Amino acid sequence: MNSESDPPNNEPSVFLRLLRKAVDVKADEVRALGLGFIYYFLILSAYYVIRPIRDDFGAAGGIENLPWMFTGTLVTMLIANALFAALVARFSRRRFIPIAYRFFIANLLIFLLLLLTISRGNQVWVGRAFFVWTSVFNLFVISVFWAFMVDVFSVDQGKRLFGFISVGGTLGAIVGAAITATLVRKVGTLNLLLVSAVLLELSAQCVRFFPKPIARESVSSKKKTVEELPVGGGIWSGIVHNVRSPYLLGISTYMLLYALTSTLLYFQQVGIAASAYPDRSARTAFFAQIDLLVNVLTVLVQALLTGRLLKWFGVGVTLAILPALSVVGFTAMGMAPTLALLVIFLTLRRAGNFAIARPARETLFTVVSREDKYKAKNFIDTVVYRTGDQIGAWSSRALLVRIGSNWSFVCRGADCRGLAVRQPLAGKTTKHDGE
């Protein structure tokens, strides 16, 4: 997309002057910036409406079954990645993005029908399928969004604008989590699936309104036309290019390690919630409240720090912040494995990823080919990420023992509401003071 300064002898509007207090945007970038903001808002709203429902199904299915659900997620992700690569090769981005999103909308309606017609006793299997599906859905819709963004914006634009666009996603996540936390007891879980479907369709419509043609500086008319044609290439190009490129391999390794360590924390979260909240609606609301806390912190960091960090220190140093935070957090958990510390660490780490690491990581893809933006990037965001989940899910016990922590959570009195808290490493439930 063009990145020109304001036209000569033209004073920027009041709106533009106000907008520039928050983001370093040029006049001809405002429309694409606004659409990217709204697009990400809708995508994250759609996901966060159903995320607590997924977590509830995961807890209801038993923490001992989570590794198998993560395995199912990886297998499904491999199939979905090949299907998406085929779409990218055949259709233009303005066609394959809505097609992909409407496929997920159809899936939501199928789950709604199944949950309405299948007896409650057999819904555990539908719940496990929904867990797997949602774990595929969330990575795909977000990966497709960012692939579109790195195709639209240049490196310089990404550094300046991606932080602000990320605010839109975080606000959407806050709204989505708030919708579920406040409405789940009033309208029920099933109606929330319809809310998510509507938000997803609105996000698909955003692609139609992006400036056309979308071009960057010094791009010929021929190149502009090419950008609206199908990307082409083979179904397995994303995998092959990742293996051959040291640059893409580095990004893959970063993603793999982040996913692995995130899964360790996720298992602890699910185990605690399953014991502390026997009621499923209360458990869903608890997950939504944690999401709300993470996203409020995220939006503050995105609004005040992300753009400045990328501008001052560059992409490399900014990407190093999350690994440094993780080292400190895991070390602290090994020394003092308390419930309060887990919540703090989990919140800071998730917020750090959404607010700082993700915008910086996406900027890395602005310099790769168009095929790699949609295929290699999607492979990294989905298959590589879920491979990290797999490693974390099946080796969580061994890894936690290896770092010197039994991860038994210390709860005092009302801190655990006088309930038992499951210890995944011990494979049993422990009673605490005040019970």
Side-chain angles (χ1 to χ4, degrees):
M1 115 167 234
N2 290 330
S3 180
E4 298 173 1
S5 302
D6 300 328
N9 304 321
N10 260 355
E11 282 292 323
S13 65
V14 174
F15 170 76
L16 183 56
R17 290 200 299 271
L18 290 174
L19 184 61
R20 282 176 173 171
K21 294 182 181 296
V23 57
D24 182 14
V25 59
K26 297 177 172 59
D28 62 332
E29 298 169 340
V30 172
R31 182 181 174 186
L33 177 69
L35 283 168
F37 185 96
I38 295 169
Y39 183 3
Y40 205 22
F41 175 92
L42 292 168
I43 284 291
L44 267 292
S45 293
Y47 169 57
Y48 272 85
V49 164
I50 60 174
R51 176 188 166 96
I53 301 171
R54 180 206 71 165
D55 291 339
D56 171 48
F57 277 130
I63 192 172
E64 67 279 1
N65 292 317
L66 279 178
W68 290 106
M69 287 191 275
F70 276 92
T71 299
T73 299
L74 179 59
V75 173
T76 306
M77 193 71 78
L78 285 166
I79 297 171
N81 184 265
L83 293 175
F84 178 73
L87 272 180
V88 171
R90 183 173 179 181
F91 298 104
S92 71
R93 61 190 178 189
R94 292 182 186 272
R95 291 192 62 192
F96 71 69
I97 292 176
I99 289 172
Y101 287 173
R102 283 163 190 157
F103 171 77
F104 285 115
I105 291 172
N107 292 169
L108 278 171
L109 297 179
I110 291 172
F111 278 115
L112 175 62
L113 181 63
L114 290 174
L115 291 169
L116 283 172
T117 56
I118 293 179
S119 65
R120 190 170 183 85
N122 293 322
Q123 284 186 6
V124 63
W125 293 103
V126 179
R128 289 169 181 168
F130 185 79
F131 182 96
V132 170
W133 177 87
T134 309
S135 299
V136 173
F137 162 79
N138 78 308
L139 290 185
F140 254 89
V141 295
I142 295 172
S143 178
V144 170
F145 166 80
W146 280 112
F148 186 54
M149 290 298 101
V150 299
D151 199 19
V152 167
F153 295 107
S154 66
V155 178
D156 173 68
Q157 290 170 326
K159 290 179 180 179
R160 291 186 290 107
L161 306 179
F162 282 179
F164 183 81
I165 290 174
S166 296
V167 173
T170 306
L171 291 177
I174 292 172
V175 170
I179 288 172
T180 299
T182 56
L183 295 183
V184 65
R185 290 188 178 92
K186 298 177 182 177
V187 304
T189 299
L190 300 186
N191 289 321
L192 292 174
L193 299 183
L194 291 175
V195 173
S196 179
V198 170
L199 292 168
L200 196 56
E201 173 58 28
L202 291 174
S203 69
Q205 294 297 320
C206 286
V207 178
R208 297 175 51 201
F209 295 100
F210 264 80
K212 184 179 180 179
I214 304 173
R216 298 190 179 91
E217 295 180 47
S218 304
V219 179
S220 66
S221 298
K222 183 178 179 180
K223 177 65 180 298
K224 295 176 187 178
T225 303
V226 168
E227 289 189 344
E228 295 304 328
L229 293 175
V231 173
I235 293 178
W236 308 111
S237 298
I239 300 175
V240 173
H241 292 183
N242 266 285
V243 172
R244 292 178 176 176
S245 168
Y247 184 80
L248 294 174
L249 273 177
I251 301 174
S252 296
T253 303
Y254 185 98
M255 182 70 82
L256 183 76
L257 293 174
Y258 172 75
L260 189 156
T261 50
S262 294
T263 302
L264 301 181
L265 291 177
Y266 179 77
F267 268 58
Q268 306 310 311
Q269 173 189 331
V270 171
I272 291 169
S275 296
Y277 295 92
D279 178 69
R280 294 186 65 177
S281 293
R283 194 160 60 227
T284 299
F286 168 73
F287 286 130
Q289 288 163 2
I290 285 190
D291 288 339
L292 187 60
L293 177 63
V294 169
N295 288 305
V296 168
L297 178 60
T298 299
V299 77
L300 292 175
V301 175
Q302 286 170 335
L304 300 175
L305 284 177
T306 304
R308 292 176 172 85
L309 288 174
L310 284 168
K311 185 176 180 179
W312 294 339
F313 302 113
V315 175
V317 173
T318 305
L319 279 172
I321 293 175
L322 185 64
L325 174 64
S326 299
V327 169
V328 173
F330 278 110
T331 301
M333 288 298 302
M335 297 173 63
T338 63
L339 177 63
L341 184 57
L342 172 69
V343 173
I344 293 172
F345 178 32
L346 184 67
T347 301
L348 290 176
R349 193 169 187 271
R350 285 179 58 192
N353 177 58
F354 297 143
I356 299 173
R358 177 122 213 180
R361 192 171 67 243
E362 300 303 342
T363 304
L364 296 175
F365 290 100
T366 57
V367 299
V368 301
S369 68
R370 291 193 70 232
E371 186 175 15
D372 285 341
K373 286 173 183 175
Y374 289 102
K375 295 182 181 179
K377 182 184 185 310
N378 186 260
F379 177 77
I380 293 172
D381 288 344
T382 58
V383 176
V384 171
Y385 188 95
R386 289 308 177 201
T387 299
D389 279 345
Q390 263 313 274
I391 298 172
W394 286 103
S395 59
S396 58
R397 181 188 179 98
L399 285 171
L400 291 174
V401 170
R402 196 173 185 84
I403 64 174
S405 170
N406 62 10
W407 285 57
S408 300
F409 293 97
V410 179
C411 302
R412 301 295 180 191
D415 287 349
C416 285
R417 289 179 168 83
L419 295 173
V421 174
R422 185 177 298 170
Q423 297 182 37
L425 292 183
K428 62 183 181 180
T429 298
T430 299
K431 304 292 184 180
H432 295 281
D433 296 340
E435 185 172 358

